Amino acid sequence: MVSFRIVRMIKLGIKSLILHKLRSALTVLGIIFGVSSVIAMLSIGEGASWEAQKMIRILGSSNIIIKSVKPPDNKNASTGRTFVVEYGLTYDDAKRIASTIPSVKAVVPMRNIRQDMRYRHRLAEGQVIGTVPWYPDISNFRVSRGRFLTFTDMHKSANVCVLGAGIAKKLFAYEDPLGKEIKIGSDYYRVVGIMQNRGGTNARGGSNITVDEYNFNVYIPLTTARRRFGELIVRRQSGSFNMERIQLHQINVRVASPELVPATAKVIQNLLERFHKKKDFKLIIPLELLRQAEQTKRIFNVVLGSIAAISLLVGGIGIMNIMLASVTERTREIGIRRALGAKKKDIVTQFLVETVVLSAGGGLLGVVFGVTIPFLVSHFAKMKTIITPWSLILAFSISAAIGIIFGLYPARKAANMDPIEALRHE
Amino acid sequence: MNIAEVRNLKKTYLLGETSVEVLKDISLSFEEGDYAAIMGPSGSGKSTLLNLLGCLDRPSAGTYLLGGIDISRLSDDALSEIRSERIGFVFQSYNLISQLSVIENIEVPLFYQGRSPQECHRRSLELVEMVGLGQRAKHRQGELSGGERQRVAIARALANDPLIILADEPTGNLDSARGKEILNLMDMLNRQGKTIIMVTHEDKVAARAKRIVRLKDGYLEE
């Protein structure tokens, strides 16, 4: 019995809202903005922490990554001249880190060289990574077929390679890559293994360059890389040569446990600074990335959260304002209903239902917009966003709650009118 | 048997500092099937009396028994219930709810009684036929003439099968022909056994009633 009354009230509420379409639409704008920014906020925050967690999964929480960085000053880099810039990590650095710091469990030196790769007429661009056999263990990265590089490969400086999943697909569309020879630079390398796909669930819009690149890596023995490509890298830039001499591009360090990471990072920093006059390296600590992501998330939450709070507040006040006007406008109707037997609580219910229908309708529209905003954000700003069902439920409940909170006062005002006065109202 | 009975009824309104005594000691009773006209100059307390009889207001002193129940001490909710169960109102300015159709207007009191939608609908269809507006059931009040509106209002007043029908100048806004129609309808209802109490200031209208109650300055002069 109660349920049909409520259905009836809702119908009545919708009817009187439709009577003033424009007014109702304008009133709920604030709610729409508020609800959609709540959803956008939560989805961006969720996306950021998902991204950070994925990065950590890939980079390893007990890893430290040291990268060679070109030193910023280069006053003598005059145009037209050719000269060699020498910088970056060295084989000695790798050895020193491995031998002097006790908390270091393993060190993986890497050379990264951009190269074109060919198999027959097929061409793919990717990164050749010269590294050591224990690279997969430290990078939480597995071979899906075949094998990884071995110590024998290292000793013999063998011309073998292991393909990333992306590049394997690109070069070998319908063939089995294992045992085939691909051309990298000017030499041929036999494919001995294929790495697993590292995209994970690369959901729509969530393009992550670092993750994509893993799938376009080709691994060769470090010794081979040194022999075939040397240490001199030549870049042509707008007519001038630009030569760099780099021994190692990257060193991955596995620390015994995640708790030791910050301390070890400090020791490595000090150790390297002693041998590097220029600031030509940088340390990346995956755990630090998570902290940064949390920071971003917090900033987003504060900014969008306050936008949401303000627009919901303004929206709520707008609704209250309109409902107060509506109560005055419908004084006569209230009087009639009271005379015909409506109790105070019937009148409260009627107006409350109307406000809730209004704000929940706005909330529903807000959910629709709120779902599209993250979609646009990830499409244009290349930011990962994740919409969780509970965020939709939360946002919608907030809008309904606003209807109740801001509708209560006008509804009570309507119910507390003297029926005689109300009937006399013109 | 007395359906409604007031004893030593007083009603005082507070207007700022001064209190105005509108009804000063009214004792009156109505039998089942009564048809009474309340007359009197403006300011004599007719409307106040009608509001009290209609349980829209509580007396300042005295008792009011409606169907054997003393309503002068009841709560607001209980008064609403009494109005919903026992009283039918007909107003001078019809007081239909403008955004509702004819049939929906008639359903309003039934709705507040908590009847099922099917029951509301069936009963209001019956009533709309009875007042001769079956063709207009879906129309809004804007599409109806004054006489038709008042007939809808009467149908609405009958919806809850009330003990008494209270009419406040039901013909006041109508021309004499339409007014006559409404009065004929009232006569018919009274012949069917309905108790009707009507406020009017027109002698011709009052002449239709079985008895006339005259008010002057808050007193009865019967």
Side-chain angles (χ1 to χ4, degrees):
Chain A
M1 192 201 92
V2 176
S3 65
F4 94 73
R5 287 187 86 139
I6 287 293
V7 169
R8 196 71 189 265
M9 291 274 195
I10 291 172
K11 275 189 191 160
L12 191 71
I14 291 171
K15 211 169 179 177
S16 60
L17 290 174
I18 285 175
L19 216 60
H20 307 279
K21 285 187 204 73
L22 182 64
R23 185 161 97 177
S24 309
L26 291 175
T27 309
V28 296
L29 270 183
I31 299 291
I32 293 176
F33 290 147
V35 165
S36 46
S37 48
V38 165
I39 291 169
M41 167 185 84
L42 293 172
S43 75
I44 290 170
E46 201 66 29
S49 67
W50 186 87
E51 199 86 307
Q53 275 159 20
K54 195 169 85 176
M55 281 292 273
I56 291 211
R57 231 177 16 251
I58 287 171
L59 299 174
S61 58
S62 51
N63 284 0
I64 297 169
I65 290 153
I66 314 161
K67 279 193 166 168
S68 293
V69 180
K70 194 169 180 176
D73 74 312
N74 247 335
K75 289 183 195 122
N76 44 359
S78 52
T79 47
R81 278 240 203 107
T82 57
F83 90 111
V84 180
V85 190
E86 193 172 347
Y87 69 91
L89 301 161
T90 63
Y91 292 97
D92 287 341
D93 289 335
K95 259 178 228 144
R96 271 184 219 115
I97 292 167
S99 58
T100 54
I101 305 173
S103 58
V104 169
K105 245 173 74 180
V107 170
V108 175
M110 289 159 77
R111 280 184 59 74
N112 306 347
I113 304 145
R114 279 216 92 77
Q115 280 290 346
D116 287 344
M117 294 149 211
R118 287 164 202 280
Y119 176 69
R120 296 191 180 156
H121 62 278
R122 284 173 173 268
L123 173 77
E125 202 191 332
Q127 186 131 247
V128 176
I129 296 186
T131 188
V132 288
W134 58 92
Y135 168 83
D137 306 329
I138 284 173
S139 309
N140 308 328
F141 199 15
R142 301 269 163 271
V143 172
S144 75
R145 296 184 54 218
R147 61 169 176 85
F148 200 71
L149 309 168
T150 61
F151 289 96
T152 326
D153 295 334
M154 285 281 280
H155 281 298
K156 292 203 275 190
S157 303
N159 275 15
V160 292
C161 66
V162 177
L163 300 182
I167 212 147
K169 213 179 228 170
K170 202 157 180 202
L171 286 181
F172 300 91
Y174 304 107
E175 283 178 81
D176 183 4
L178 288 184
K180 301 279 177 347
E181 300 222 310
I182 64 166
K183 191 180 177 194
I184 304 172
S186 50
D187 295 292
Y188 285 90
Y189 296 77
R190 190 160 52 83
V191 179
V192 295
I194 298 159
M195 301 306 285
Q196 65 183 171
N197 188 345
R198 201 154 213 197
T201 51
N202 216 351
R204 53 153 190 87
S207 70
N208 185 332
I209 297 151
T210 52
V211 171
D212 277 348
E213 275 189 350
Y214 274 98
N215 288 332
F216 283 85
N217 285 348
V218 173
Y219 302 90
I220 62 172
L222 187 62
T223 48
T224 316
R226 198 173 186 183
R227 177 174 294 181
R228 299 289 170 204
F229 298 102
E231 274 153 18
L232 201 64
I233 295 167
V234 180
R235 282 210 192 97
R236 287 183 192 85
Q237 266 182 343
S238 56
S240 74
F241 283 113
N242 191 356
M243 281 188 277
E244 298 173 349
R245 191 184 292 280
I246 303 173
Q247 291 189 6
L248 291 174
H249 290 86
Q250 190 174 331
I251 299 174
N252 287 4
V253 179
R254 159 68 52 109
V255 182
S257 73
E259 299 87 71
L260 294 172
V261 167
T264 312
K266 211 163 268 170
V267 176
I268 291 173
Q269 180 89 27
N270 291 339
L271 178 71
L272 290 177
E273 269 167 9
R274 207 176 305 159
F275 294 96
H276 290 255
K277 299 240 157 28
K278 297 174 283 186
K279 178 87 175 128
D280 57 357
F281 65 91
K282 76 171 178 196
L283 266 71
I284 298 169
I285 303 162
L287 275 176
E288 207 63 33
L289 291 177
L290 183 65
R291 206 164 302 145
Q292 277 167 20
E294 290 293 325
Q295 193 104 29
T296 320
K297 187 173 163 179
R298 213 168 305 133
I299 290 168
F300 260 103
N301 281 0
V302 168
V303 171
L304 283 170
S306 21
I307 293 174
I310 291 167
S311 38
L312 286 173
L313 184 70
V314 170
I317 293 169
I319 284 186
M320 182 149 94
N321 194 13
I322 281 301
M323 289 316 288
L324 284 172
S326 171
V327 165
T328 312
E329 201 179 270
R330 287 156 69 186
T331 303
R332 186 75 168 259
E333 179 192 332
I334 295 162
I336 297 168
R337 287 183 181 276
R338 293 282 276 136
L340 297 182
K343 293 178 182 146
K344 280 185 177 179
K345 70 166 199 266
D346 292 321
I347 301 294
V348 169
T349 317
Q350 184 189 340
F351 280 91
L352 211 52
V353 162
E354 203 171 310
T355 348
V356 172
V357 165
L358 192 64
S359 66
L364 221 53
L365 280 174
V367 166
V368 172
F369 283 115
V371 170
T372 35
I373 289 172
F375 186 81
L376 295 177
V377 164
S378 52
H379 192 263
F380 290 110
K382 302 283 179 230
M383 251 165 127
K384 176 81 190 168
T385 53
I386 295 173
I387 299 165
T388 52
W390 69 264
S391 75
L392 300 186
I393 295 166
L394 176 79
F396 183 74
S397 321
I398 289 176
S399 70
I402 283 197
I404 294 173
I405 293 165
F406 288 93
L408 213 50
Y409 175 68
R412 288 180 61 91
K413 198 182 160 199
N416 286 330
M417 282 179 180
D418 177 18
I420 299 170
E421 294 282 325
L423 274 170
R424 225 179 274 150
H425 189 267
E426 283 307 316
Chain B
M1 184 204 150
N2 285 347
I3 262 187
E5 187 176 350
V6 296
R7 279 190 224 121
N8 310 106
L9 199 69
K10 284 189 181 130
K11 183 68 194 177
T12 318
Y13 286 110
L14 276 173
L15 286 176
E17 298 289 294
T18 56
S19 62
V20 181
E21 209 171 23
V22 183
L23 295 178
K24 286 167 186 160
D25 188 23
I26 306 257
S27 294
L28 192 60
S29 63
F30 302 94
E31 288 169 12
E32 191 168 1
D34 218 342
Y35 189 175
I38 301 174
M39 295 194 72
S42 55
S44 59
K46 301 184 300 261
S47 296
T48 305
L49 181 57
L50 201 72
N51 287 338
L52 284 172
L53 291 173
C55 301
L56 284 168
D57 212 345
R58 268 170 289 204
S60 308
T63 52
Y64 172 25
L65 295 169
L66 179 64
I69 299 173
D70 183 4
I71 71 108
S72 47
R73 308 273 170 271
L74 292 180
S75 71
D76 190 85
D77 271 2
L79 282 182
S80 298
E81 219 154 282
I82 299 262
R83 288 199 295 272
S84 170
E85 303 286 339
R86 310 187 162 201
I87 294 177
F89 281 103
V90 178
F91 302 95
Q92 177 176 6
S93 49
Y94 330 123
N95 277 344
L96 301 181
I97 297 171
S98 55
Q99 70 263 35
L100 301 182
S101 68
V102 164
I103 200 106
E104 286 167 334
N105 261 294
I106 300 171
E107 281 177 13
V108 171
L110 296 167
F111 171 70
Y112 288 121
Q113 282 187 340
R115 307 279 190 93
S116 75
Q118 296 80 5
E119 212 182 332
C120 290
H121 198 68
R122 195 169 37 76
R123 176 100 179 105
S124 53
L125 273 180
E126 254 171 55
L127 289 164
V128 80
E129 289 292 346
M130 197 200 88
V131 296
L133 288 171
Q135 305 298 316
R136 303 233 154 188
K138 297 264 188 269
H139 289 231
R140 298 276 180 89
Q141 78 157 357
E143 299 160 314
L144 303 177
S145 70
E148 287 170 328
R149 288 182 199 184
Q150 196 60 298
R151 277 191 280 168
V152 175
I154 290 170
R156 183 177 67 183
L158 290 169
N160 57 355
D161 198 12
L163 280 180
I164 48 174
I165 291 173
L166 299 171
D168 190 358
E169 308 241 18
T171 58
N173 283 9
L174 300 173
D175 61 43
S176 58
R178 304 294 142 233
K180 213 175 230 169
E181 275 177 32
I182 295 301
L183 291 173
N184 288 342
L185 191 55
M186 299 285 241
D187 286 351
M188 192 190 85
L189 292 175
N190 182 241
R191 275 198 302 277
Q192 288 172 358
K194 292 283 172 209
T195 313
I196 298 173
I197 302 171
M198 180 166 66
V199 165
T200 183
H201 60 266
E202 286 177 74
D203 291 323
K204 255 200 329 213
V205 173
R208 297 273 195 134
K210 288 179 182 166
R211 62 190 261 226
I212 296 175
V213 178
R214 288 182 195 279
L215 275 178
K216 200 181 175 192
D217 302 326
Y219 291 106
L220 231 49
E221 40 163 45
E222 206 156 353

